[in-house]
C-alpha cells in the first residue's frame, strides 16, 4: 500500500477520497478517529491519511489529485471568524461555516 495524501484538514482528505473512489480506485483512511483524543493541538502523526489499496492505481490516483489541486489556482483564504486556512474552492469555512467575504 502507498500513502496518497495527508493533511491536517480532514475535510480536504475526505473530498479527495470521494473523487478517487468515484473513479473506481479503492482507498482506505488511517487515523480517522485519532483527532479529538489529543486536544486542539493536533500533532502531525494524527493527520488523516489516505492510502491506496492497489499500488497499480498509483499513477491514476496521483493524476486525479494533481488535477484537483490545479483546479483551484486561487490562493488560500483565511477565515475572518476562526482564522482557519481554506482553499479557494471552498465558499464557506470548513471549520466554522463562515462565508468567504
Ligand atoms: Zn472559520
Amino acid at each position: 500500500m502507498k500513502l496518497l495524501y495527508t493533511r491536517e484538514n480532514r475535510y480536504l482528505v475526505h473530498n479527495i477520497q470521494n473523487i478517487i473512489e468515484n473513479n473506481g480506485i479503492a482507498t482506505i483512511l488511517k487515523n480517522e478517529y485519532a483527532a479529538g483524543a489529543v486536544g486542539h493541538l493536533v500533532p502531525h502523526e494524527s493527520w488523516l491519511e489516505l492510502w491506496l489499496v492497489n499500488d497499480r492505481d498509483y499513477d491514476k490516483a496521483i493524476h486525479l489529485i494533481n488535477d484537483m489541486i490545479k483546479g483551484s489556482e486561487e490562493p488560500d483564504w483565511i477565515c475572518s471568524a476562526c482564522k482557519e486556512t481554506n482553499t479557494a474552492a471552498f465558499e464557506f469555512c470548513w471549520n466554522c461555516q463562515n462565508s468567504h467575504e
Side-chain angles (χ1 to χ4, degrees):
M1 286 202 309
K2 286 177 188 288
L3 177 64
L4 270 180
Y5 191 79
T6 183
R7 277 299 276 271
E8 189 175 9
N9 183 341
R10 307 168 82 79
Y11 182 65
L12 253 188
V13 179
H14 279 290
N15 252 3
I16 285 179
Q17 183 190 33
N18 278 341
I19 288 168
I20 289 173
E21 297 228 321
N22 284 342
N23 281 273
I25 297 173
T27 61
I28 60 167
L29 291 171
K30 291 189 179 179
N31 288 338
E32 192 165 13
Y33 305 107
V38 288
H40 58 278
L41 284 177
V42 180
H44 186 267
E45 296 77 47
S46 69
W47 285 15
L48 190 59
E49 296 177 351
L50 183 63
W51 287 77
L52 191 65
V53 173
N54 297 306
D55 286 2
R56 65 174 187 276
D57 293 329
Y58 188 74
D59 287 347
K60 188 179 173 191
I62 288 295
H63 192 76
L64 289 167
I65 292 174
N66 285 340
D67 276 359
M68 181 181 169
I69 292 169
K70 254 186 281 167
S72 56
E73 301 226 306
E74 290 176 56
D76 292 350
W77 55 279
I78 308 291
C79 176
S80 59
C82 71
K83 311 302 179 197
E84 284 292 345
T85 301
N86 290 274
T87 63
F90 295 154
E91 287 180 36
F92 296 91
C93 174
W94 64 270
N95 185 51
C96 74
Q97 282 76 52
N98 190 44
S99 64
H100 182 201
E101 290 156 22

